[in-house]
Amino acid sequence: METVGSGVALLDYNGDGLTDIFLVNGSSLEVLADPSLPRPSSRLFRNNGDGTFTDVTKASGLVNEGWGMGVAAADYDNDGHTDVFVTNFGSNALFHNNGDGTFTNVTREAGLGGGNWSTGCAWGDYDGDGRLDLYVARYVDFDRARIPRPGTANYCLYRGIPVACGPRGLPGLPDLFYRNEGHGRFREISVEAGIIDSDKAYGFSVVWCDFDNDGHPDIYVANDSMANFLWHNKGNGTFEEIGVEAGCALSGDGRAQSSMGIAVGDYNNDGWMDLLVTNFSEDYNTLYRNQSGQFDDVTFEAGLGTASFSQLGWGTGFIDYDNDGWKDLFVANGHIYPQADKAGNTYFQNNQLFRNTRNGRFVLLGHGESGFTQAWSSRGAAFGDLANSGRIWIAVNNIDREPCLYQPVSLAGAWARFKLIGTSSNRDAIGARVQVTAGGVTQTDEVRSGESYLSSSEVRLHFGLGEAMAIDQVAIRWPSGRTEKHTHLAVNRQYTFVEGSGSAKAEDTDG
Ligand SMILES: [Ca+2]
Ligand SMILES: [Ca+2]
Ligand SMILES: [Ca+2]
Ligand SMILES: [Ca+2]
């Protein structure tokens, strides 16, 4: 279990407008076997607003002592306070935010314990009732007594070196899908919703997004060693799996890849949400360009093919690090096998930043330019503006190391940030689509909770605006279906939009 974890969340847990950091943590077999041993736990760091953070784990009660994997933060009960769901090897955990800086573990009442080995998770409102529902991916049906020793089967070798077994050759687990029934209770409805993971694929990361622009949020799941899922939301309370037909389940030449993380974003600004899926080493991370809901593997023509061949990719996101209005690409790397150093690869690998050159292509920045000079074995990654300065920071969880926090330093263009508050829609407006037109470019994004690798970025939407002096238009499609437009807004501001109020509130900013 220790080879794959774990995620990181950026969330404003205490509602002070400053984005805080939650790090999921692993455990050990010794601790699982002996309850008298001190238990490692997740960590919550409060943003002090002066460039420092304070560990408030204990005081907050946001303490996950299971073998942590993934996290998704969202206000599932629409009370204005961000709640946190954590997946584990073992029971998962739902922490309800009490609104006073503390959390209560409500897993049992909510019915969200799951079981065995859960990984990625993400919130979205599949049926448009204003209540956030939850997708939980699961990985291997893990029984330590049945796991072969390293090297004792052909799926326990990496380039001839004995390594930990799996996932190939091990039994998988079906994913879980929970409908939010209100009053803090959930019901597992995967089969009745058509989410039938009959192959028990080895699930990792999950993201909700409306990929075919029909107004209903779809769900994409990165599976390890097997075809990825695209669960198309039919708009009638059920889904159909269309990954292969839609062209985003396999590599362009029809191979199932060992997928880890998912970046979702409209990198070419055509109004269709694209995908970047991180994969195993000796393979490439796959860029799927979305055209009218149909995907093409354009990895090599985008210049991303060979740049990820040696790397084993995990956390990833389309982020506009230089605020030019074109989304760039971040990838967190690190091999899964410590033995990789003996097999012609390396366990520690540098993270990567690719600049979008606005012509459908990306260019890898050198480590000096990206600032990613130190190689670790990275996993989860999340994105947000931790200084409210109009730039995107990156938080990365590393195996057996302190995490990395990358502060933006490059000169950058204008920006705008949007905080959406749903009224008839879910309060966090998860699934809302925002289109921003400025400087002759229209950018598209959606509010998400759950993306990258087992991670959760802040729900505020950030847009780089290049040299634009003003925003011509902001168009919002709320999850309820309600649409609204705002015109002639100033740049370098955060705006709060409340569904149905018809007005935009600009907030003072240091930017
Ligand atoms: Ca809440
Ligand atoms: Ca719902
Ligand atoms: Ca859709
Ligand atoms: Ca850019």
Side-chain angles (χ1 to χ4, degrees), residues 6-17:
S6 38
V8 53
L10 298 184
L11 73 161
D12 181 7
Y13 85 98
N14 57 350
D16 64 356

Side-chain angles (χ1 to χ4, degrees), residues 320 322 324 326 328:
D320 187 0
D322 57 358
D324 71 345
W326 295 83
D328 312 295

Side-chain angles (χ1 to χ4, degrees), residues 289-331:
R289 184 183 61 204
N290 181 353
Q291 287 182 297
S292 308
Q294 192 67 35
F295 292 84
D296 286 312
D297 176 351
V298 295
T299 310
F300 283 86
E301 65 188 83
L304 292 172
T306 55
S308 62
F309 187 76
S310 300
Q311 284 74 11
L312 205 168
W314 302 89
T316 183
F318 286 111
I319 56 166
D320 187 0
Y321 83 94
D322 57 358
N323 278 353
D324 71 345
W326 295 83
K327 289 180 180 65
D328 312 295
L329 177 66
F330 171 81
V331 179

Side-chain angles (χ1 to χ4, degrees), residues 74-83 96-97:
D75 182 7
Y76 74 87
D77 62 343
N78 297 327
D79 67 353
H81 308 296
T82 304
D83 313 294
H96 178 254
N97 189 329

Side-chain angles (χ1 to χ4, degrees), residues 124-133 179-180:
D125 183 4
Y126 84 104
D127 56 353
D129 65 354
R131 295 178 185 139
L132 288 173
D133 313 296
R179 181 174 191 271
N180 186 336

